[in-house]
Amino acid sequence: MFLWGTATAAYQIEGAAHEDGRGASIWDTFAHQPGRTRDGHTGDVACDHYHRWPEDLELMSGLGVNAYRFSIAWPRIQPDGSGGVNPKGLDFYDRLVDGLGERGITPVPTLFHWDLPQALEDRGGWLDRDTAYRFADYAAVVADRLADRVKMWITLNEPFVHMVFGYAMGLHAPGHALMLDALPVAHHQLLGHGLAVRALREAGAEQVLITNNCTPVWAEDAAAGDAYDALHNRLFNDPVLLGRYPDLSAYGVTLDCVRDGDLEIISTPLDGLGINYYNPTRIGAPTDDSLPWTDLGVNGYPTTAFGWPVVPDGLRELLVGLRDRYGAALPPIYITENGCSYPEQDDQARIAFLDGHLAALRATQDEGVDVRGYFVWSLLDNFEWAEGYHQRFGLVHVDFPTGRRTPRASYHWLKDHLSRTAGGDPAHP
């Protein structure tokens, strides 16, 4: 069965930041620091999904999707990031999973979508190797409760983005600006992933994935393009799929934190690879000594409200490139995020975006790439990280002061599309 779904993330929609024993996350801390988010917005309330989840599940049911990718808030489960378990946190996701099952929607939880418990950050966060082991413990706790009904799991969401924005550039929580000194975050996240895969399987999980944000690299300079590709794409795919890190010599650094046996753990076989696609990246030769490449920006294409270029065929280019690079080592692919932000009054652009990317998905399958799912980002307008509530990605408009949900024209367009595919393969609508 092809998975048609929508995607969300806990801190972006749940709210209830101080209810039922939930601990603080790095995003609670970061968003309350002056100047960190646009207009000082926080996820304290967000979409109030914690209380309104039945309504949101009805929206999914009405849309006609057969899967829902959400994330579990680690601080709800273990308020201090380790040790004691908060039963009310597990109860919430228990109710959510049962509600999905009652509506015939496959639950696809992500265990980490950037909301690290603040208590772990205080001990070093993902710069500290021990966090990888705490992540595996947390995965075991959640799976022990839910694996009887949850068959597909995702360990990490976009470890590249979390490393770069959160630890290298300081644009996201936890707000460190370490540049290349942030590279241990990559290894510790991947080690945590590998350990969690094993913990999930021991608890009865049938399918386990990781979700990586990947981009086609349009290189104006071959060496610069290779260096960028190594950092953005291969740093997080090669260890998982091939059991080795790419050549990072262009950066003048080595991953001294890698220990014997780590790569064997990281490359524990997977059942699928989640890919989040938004746009290509055009790379040129470096202009200074800070990095071995320059981001030139992609010109000549329409852009979203975020300023991101809309290049539907980039999805096909990316997935065919992954197939050609990894061959038999590449597991089935699930598009775990693809979507766009547009002003609330302009939904025809969102419809055109979805139509173009679904056509690219069909073309990808025609080229023989094994793609088994597509999740739209996002079901709801939400707290869009450092942008606060200014960027609207939702198929459903949310009036944040009241929480009122209103399906957009794109929701109805996708509903019609899904009714014509009858839940089947996108290559055969």
Side-chain angles (χ1 to χ4, degrees):
M1 179 180 69
F2 191 88
L3 295 185
W4 289 105
T6 57
T8 65
Y11 188 74
Q12 294 183 268
I13 66 166
E14 284 182 2
H18 308 291
E19 291 187 37
D20 290 344
R22 178 187 179 275
S25 78
I26 55 174
W27 269 97
D28 294 296
T29 301
F30 183 84
H32 281 273
Q33 294 171 351
R36 292 294 203 176
T37 64
R38 191 171 169 187
D39 292 337
H41 290 172
T42 76
D44 287 359
V45 177
C47 306
D48 197 25
H49 173 76
Y50 189 78
H51 299 112
R52 304 180 70 143
W53 64 268
E55 179 182 0
D56 295 336
L57 267 55
E58 284 301 303
L59 286 166
M60 288 179 235
S61 182
L63 180 60
V65 295
N66 59 20
Y68 175 43
R69 178 181 171 237
F70 59 99
S71 80
I72 293 173
W74 190 348
R76 282 202 196 281
I77 308 304
Q78 291 179 303
D80 294 322
S82 61
V85 175
N86 175 30
K88 290 185 178 180
L90 285 171
D91 289 347
F92 169 69
Y93 296 107
D94 210 41
R95 294 191 297 271
L96 184 67
V97 166
D98 282 348
L100 289 165
E102 290 165 2
R103 293 164 176 82
I105 300 173
T106 299
V108 185
T110 298
L111 287 169
F112 181 70
H113 200 129
W114 306 352
D115 51 353
L116 188 73
Q118 182 61 44
L120 290 183
E121 174 60 27
D122 292 343
R123 300 199 290 271
W126 287 111
L127 289 164
D128 182 2
R129 182 182 176 90
D130 185 65
T131 298
Y133 294 89
R134 302 291 73 74
F135 180 64
D137 292 344
Y138 151 67
V141 167
V142 177
D144 182 65
R145 181 68 171 267
L146 301 179
D148 60 328
R149 287 152 291 154
V150 174
K151 305 306 178 184
M152 177 178 284
W153 298 78
I154 299 172
T155 55
L156 306 176
N157 176 73
E158 296 186 351
F160 168 78
V161 177
H162 187 53
M163 177 189 74
V164 171
F165 281 20
Y167 287 85
M169 300 175 66
L171 301 176
H172 284 182
H176 301 310
L178 302 174
M179 295 306 289
L180 291 174
D181 288 338
L183 278 172
V185 170
H187 181 64
H188 295 150
Q189 285 187 95
L190 289 173
L191 179 61
H193 153 77
L195 293 166
V197 172
R198 296 182 176 192
L200 289 167
R201 294 207 192 285
E202 288 177 5
E206 295 182 4
Q207 294 179 282
V208 186
L209 292 71
I210 187 174
T211 282
N212 284 330
N213 169 278
C214 293
T215 180
V217 178
W218 295 355
E220 303 284 327
D221 177 273
D226 287 345
Y228 186 81
D229 183 52
L231 181 70
H232 190 140
N233 295 319
R234 296 184 62 192
L235 180 61
F236 295 93
N237 284 324
D238 283 15
V240 169
L241 300 178
L242 303 177
R244 62 178 182 265
Y245 278 107
D247 180 7
L248 297 175
S249 60
Y251 296 90
V253 298
T254 57
L255 278 170
D256 296 331
C257 55
V258 181
R259 298 182 186 176
D260 289 345
D262 284 0
L263 284 164
E264 181 182 354
I265 294 170
I266 291 169
S267 59
T268 301
L270 293 176
D271 304 287
L273 177 65
I275 293 293
N276 292 354
Y277 169 73
Y278 288 97
N279 53 260
T281 307
R282 189 166 67 100
I283 295 297
T287 57
D288 56 43
D289 295 332
S290 61
L291 292 169
W293 46 264
T294 299
D295 188 341
L296 301 175
V298 173
N299 303 315
Y301 292 87
T303 59
T304 68
F306 227 142
W308 298 348
V310 178
V311 187
D313 191 60
L315 176 62
R316 182 201 59 80
E317 178 185 350
L318 171 65
L319 300 185
V320 170
L322 289 170
R323 189 269 315 275
D324 292 347
R325 169 175 287 170
Y326 294 107
L330 184 70
I333 290 174
Y334 296 81
I335 306 305
T336 40
E337 284 183 29
N338 179 235
C340 52
S341 170
Y342 286 109
E344 50 196 285
Q345 72 274 16
D346 181 15
D347 213 37
Q348 291 308 305
R350 195 185 320 273
I351 292 171
F353 180 100
L354 293 171
D355 191 37
H357 284 80
L358 291 178
L361 182 60
R362 290 192 293 273
T364 302
Q365 292 186 311
D366 288 343
E367 293 198 38
V369 181
D370 186 3
V371 185
R372 300 188 184 182
Y374 177 87
F375 293 77
V376 178
W377 186 271
S378 175
L379 174 68
L380 304 168
D381 290 339
N382 55 39
F383 175 81
E384 187 51 41
W385 307 116
E387 284 290 308
Y389 296 101
H390 292 280
Q391 298 293 342
R392 292 181 173 268
F393 281 84
L395 295 169
V396 175
H397 173 270
V398 177
D399 178 66
F400 291 107
T402 66
R404 181 181 178 187
R405 279 91 158 123
T406 306
R408 289 190 166 98
S410 54
Y411 173 100
H412 297 290
W413 179 89
L414 185 59
K415 176 180 179 179
D416 179 64
H417 178 88
L418 295 179
S419 69
R420 287 185 282 111
T421 64
D425 193 301
H428 303 92

